[in-house]
Amino acid sequence: MIYATNAVPVNAAGEPELTRSDVWAGLEAKANNALPFVPAMTHCEVLEQRSAVGFDREIEFRGQRFVERITLEPESRVTFTRIAGEVLGTIANEIEENEGGELSLRFSFALVLKGVVPGSAEEAEYAEGMKGDYLKAVEATLGAIRRVARGETVGV
């Protein structure tokens, strides 16, 4: 299993001050259409609305197609559970707040590669690529949310 987690501060010097609601609006938009937020993603389509806080979507990431079940926990977390594809598992984007009220966006994933031996060099190589891609995705997500806060349009 490939597991990684990393938290990135939400607010940065010289950028608009983002609130939890700002970050949540961005995460919700990303869940519905990740293309403006995730540079390595080339396809994102909602397949089925399952409830007010859950839906399935099809994505293409790093050249592979997946179906993900999205669960929204308003103002807190989005969970992406891979239910079809060559890499299964869970990805979470979570808004955290420290004792001083500073926000961070935590990205975590726990993934299993079909047909790849756990602990193998192939798994390690894939893991390194995933970590880099997802760190870029978190930074791109915050960048898109900041652009919205500046009044810019974000979309495909």
Side-chain angles (χ1 to χ4, degrees):
M1 177 171 287
I2 300 169
Y3 179 77
T5 187
N6 190 35
V8 175
V10 165
N11 290 303
E15 296 289 350
E17 185 80 11
L18 300 176
T19 65
R20 177 179 289 272
S21 292
D22 294 330
V23 177
W24 176 251
L27 290 180
E28 194 170 25
K30 176 184 163 192
N32 282 283
N33 179 16
L35 297 179
F37 300 91
V38 183
M41 192 174 293
T42 56
H43 172 79
C44 184
E45 177 184 358
V46 173
L47 300 174
E48 178 184 359
Q49 190 73 38
R50 301 180 65 77
S51 72
V53 293
F55 56 92
D56 291 348
R57 72 179 190 182
E58 180 183 60
I59 64 166
E60 185 169 316
F61 184 78
R62 297 177 83 196
Q64 295 181 308
R65 289 280 173 137
F66 303 99
V67 175
E68 296 179 324
R69 180 151 295 154
I70 310 302
T71 304
L72 305 171
E73 298 174 47
E75 301 286 322
S76 178
R77 173 195 330 241
V78 179
T79 304
F80 308 83
T81 303
R82 294 252 176 99
I83 58 174
E86 292 300 308
V87 182
L88 301 177
T90 303
I91 300 163
N93 293 172
E94 184 172 9
I95 304 168
E96 297 180 331
E97 187 171 345
N98 70 15
E99 294 167 0
E102 296 168 330
L103 297 174
S104 60
L105 181 56
R106 177 168 298 280
F107 143 78
S108 303
F109 66 80
L111 301 172
V112 176
L113 282 69
K114 287 184 180 178
V116 174
V117 176
S120 68
E122 185 180 358
E123 183 186 63
E125 181 181 340
Y126 190 89
E128 283 309 305
M130 289 294 289
K131 289 175 188 176
D133 284 344
Y134 277 103
L135 183 55
K136 289 175 191 171
V138 170
E139 291 168 353
T141 297
L142 288 173
I145 295 168
R146 290 179 183 125
R147 287 193 301 279
V148 169
R150 287 192 294 265
E152 298 173 29
T153 301
V154 175
V156 176

